[in-house]
Amino acid sequence: MVHTRTASTETSPREPAGEVLPTRPRRLSEVSRFDREADVVVVGLGGAGASAAIEARRAGASVLVLERGSEGGGSTAQSGGILYFGGGTPIQRACGFDDSVEEMFKYLLAASGPNPDEAKVRAYADGSLEHFAWFVEQGVEFKPTFYAKKTTEPPTDDCLLYSGNEDCWPFNLVARPAPRGHKPKTTGSAGGLIMKRLISSATSLGAEVIEDARAQTLIVDDGGRVVGVVARVLGEPLLVRARRGVILTAGGFIMNPRMIAQHAPKLLDVNIQIGNPGDDGAGILMGVGAGGGTICMGEGFVSMPFYPPSKLVNGIIVNEQGQRFVNEDAYHGRTGDFILRQSGGRAYLVVDNASYGRPISGMQLKAADETIAELEASLGLPSGSLTHTVDFYNEHAKAGVDPLFHKKRDYLAPLVEPPFAAIDLSIDKAVVPGFTMGGLDTLPTGEVLTPDGVVVPGLYAAGRTTAGLPRSAGGYSSGMSIGCATFFGRLAGKTAAQAG
Amino acid sequence: MVHTRTASTETSPREPAGEVLPTRPRRLSEVSRFDREADVVVVGLGGAGASAAIEARRAGASVLVLERGSEGGGSTAQSGGILYFGGGTPIQRACGFDDSVEEMFKYLLAASGPNPDEAKVRAYADGSLEHFAWFVEQGVEFKPTFYAKKTTEPPTDDCLLYSGNEDCWPFNLVARPAPRGHKPKTTGSAGGLIMKRLISSATSLGAEVIEDARAQTLIVDDGGRVVGVVARVLGEPLLVRARRGVILTAGGFIMNPRMIAQHAPKLLDVNIQIGNPGDDGAGILMGVGAGGGTICMGEGFVSMPFYPPSKLVNGIIVNEQGQRFVNEDAYHGRTGDFILRQSGGRAYLVVDNASYGRPISGMQLKAADETIAELEASLGLPSGSLTHTVDFYNEHAKAGVDPLFHKKRDYLAPLVEPPFAAIDLSIDKAVVPGFTMGGLDTLPTGEVLTPDGVVVPGLYAAGRTTAGLPRSAGGYSSGMSIGCATFFGRLAGKTAAQAG
């Protein structure tokens, strides 16, 4: 007979007695009392949650925010704080860049991968100038200067940068390039500053925040409408009624290894989880429990931040066949995604003395030699492979062209000055930051859809709890996450506040 | 203000009045009568469903099968009918191949990608000899002969073949190669024969089948236990009570374009959907409605069946950079997956006169020329790229080695005899069959798990409705789907029949 006793069945998990599971919503009929009540209840006070709270208050709703941490901020507060704006912002214009809503739309559509959410892309491009003005109104300042070097995040207080693949092949064939990364005016990371302003704005407008409040599951009435949240505050239960709607803005699931393995196994190679401990997927699971569908769960950002210094982009990246496979000036998230696809996850950045610089991210040197042939041997690459690749590259770089991958002329210089070195960009040796992109399926308004495509009454979501606008590692730009979280967070707040 | 009117919100979907949605289970309290009742109710009479019905009957349960079509068979009946068996089957031994349970286990674990289900792999390898014997017992015959040519499916009545990457790099480094594809004794496709035997066996044992019965949603009691199925039979409602459990074996979702776009956008490029019209995801959605979690939804099989004839494997496959990127003797599903990752989805099979043959699948010739340099120009490849690739390949092929991708010696011959030709394997030009691999999360016993990892009482699933053992396009072998569907279908039937 077939073997029925396996490791899994022996430890077959059963319903834990009395435990509150996020995917098991509480029935309204089982709730005897509510401790608190508000028109709109927001779960999570990161970029999406604070923006939702602001707009819900502005629309006249009472707002209660449940924040799991001892203070708000979420992953936005921990980030570089780059925001993706375009269509001709005052900063773009001051720096001499010509951008339009249509060019931004075309770029975002192409960058979203094979299944773009055109309605979200449309809304985001159309609303970008207004969204920029809204940030200024919240007290966030932007300096009208351009940071020209290739970097992950300006170390200065400069604002504007190319934060994605806008001026890189093949995206530069799709839409007229323009830099759209906008960093608020501060030296270094700006995420903390952004969240300080947004939280201050939300509370000034009268949104109430309960900290150390961990949402556990949603409360659902007999008709399937979401009407509240079961939470725990410092060990005590808190039952909260939401008269108009609950907005889930509780982050993604990069901190949940089980969900990563099940849904986005490519992210198992990530060794720096971008996020905060709350990014454990609880928001997504609560939404699923109330009937919400998830989409794009396999998508995620896998980065390979080998630059700055930007002169490293003059090097070439090769796989274990000694072949190039990506334009080295691509955004580091695109490069990371391509490296994942190479055999054994192996890749090396090959530089000469002129293009060498110590990578700020801490990537390690693998080998250094006086000739390319020696370097090829040191790396264990097939004899003749790297030498051909460098010869072919050099011959065309001299003429300022890259017929294989169309790297920009700015970074094309023959690799001829010894010594030659290889920096290890192999997935298991390099610094590999990443985060999840999949989540609840929502309309641009933040309304959550079932797997059948029907709205779940009373339920809204935004930020990384949803599959938002960015849904392709190969097309991601810095600023899309916070830009999207705040933009669609605002829409969710406004929509929930006006719900019947 | 932010634009709130978008294409999506204008057509914002609301709850359709009175419509039965698969993700909206019927509450037991809303059911006034049952039309039928059985210990075990099976949804779908394909390979998994028939196997479940057989074992449930053998374990003494009454069994009712609801089949959506006018006759059973499902996608198994439409398939080539290859079954993945190993560990030293009588056929393997008769043909002189040495295989063991452990080698099979190692191979399957490596082939399952970055998140193998080790418990399922273990159960499948351990149970393989018994599963082979079970098929023989059902009246399925296997001829003890080996088909040595590289093919997608033997056109003869021969049985044994290498149906995956067992003897291909890099899998040949992980486990001792053995052919494990077993085709029942019949000329051409054997899927119909298999299903004839299994259905006959199930009905002989007393399983009752209702045809033209479309399951719409599950019936769930107040404790969350699945206790029945709402179906429609020729337009009339049929309410079926399941005393011990419901087994969902209703196929995958390759026929549901919305689900493909949402979950497995890479399959949007598939132009031959492997499956039957019932593979619309309804089984998965019903499971989700009752609380089941889905995993691996982004995974799918994307094939590039450029062989037979097998001499085409002597050619080389290049991308639009004129570079090779895969060992051409890899399984066609692995090749397809790699082509998807190349820029623009472009790829060409380059052959010389000696290695040319018309592909049986109908792939088209892109160019033919007297020299490789001319072919390079005809294909629009960068000057010098293809010529280098062919020179490098030929130089090593002469010596019987492939230092870049380790293609087997059998297929290594210098490409030197004019004319030279290129067959277009670009994703948008080629024949690209595919199917989905994601689905409900189950234990090896078929018990369905919630996203929290808790068993949904009364609910079982098998086959493509689940994320089974094969969960990596790059590691798939022919025979894994039907092998897995029947194996785990049996376990589900047995487990459900014995449920309390």
Side-chain angles (χ1 to χ4, degrees), chain B residues 60-84:
Chain B
S62 65
V63 174
L64 183 64
V65 184
L66 303 173
E67 163 57 33
R68 177 171 169 160
S70 292
E71 61 177 353
S75 296
T76 299
Q78 299 180 10
S79 76
I82 295 170
L83 292 151
Y84 201 82

Side-chain angles (χ1 to χ4, degrees), chain A residues 162-178:
Chain A
Y162 276 105
S163 66
N165 294 291
E166 294 79 2
D167 60 341
C168 301
W169 182 81
F171 297 93
N172 57 1
L173 306 176
V174 173
R176 192 176 63 232

Side-chain angles (χ1 to χ4, degrees), chain B residues 436-454:
Chain B
T436 60
M437 288 180 174
L440 294 172
D441 185 19
T442 53
L443 294 174
T445 52
E447 291 164 288
V448 175
L449 300 175
T450 71
D452 297 303
V454 174

Side-chain angles (χ1 to χ4, degrees), chain A residues 469-494:
Chain A
L469 184 149
R471 47 177 61 179
S472 148
Y476 189 80
S477 299
S478 289
M480 281 185 177
S481 285
I482 307 182
C484 167
T486 52
F487 184 86
F488 293 105
R490 291 177 62 199
L491 274 175
K494 201 180 157 193

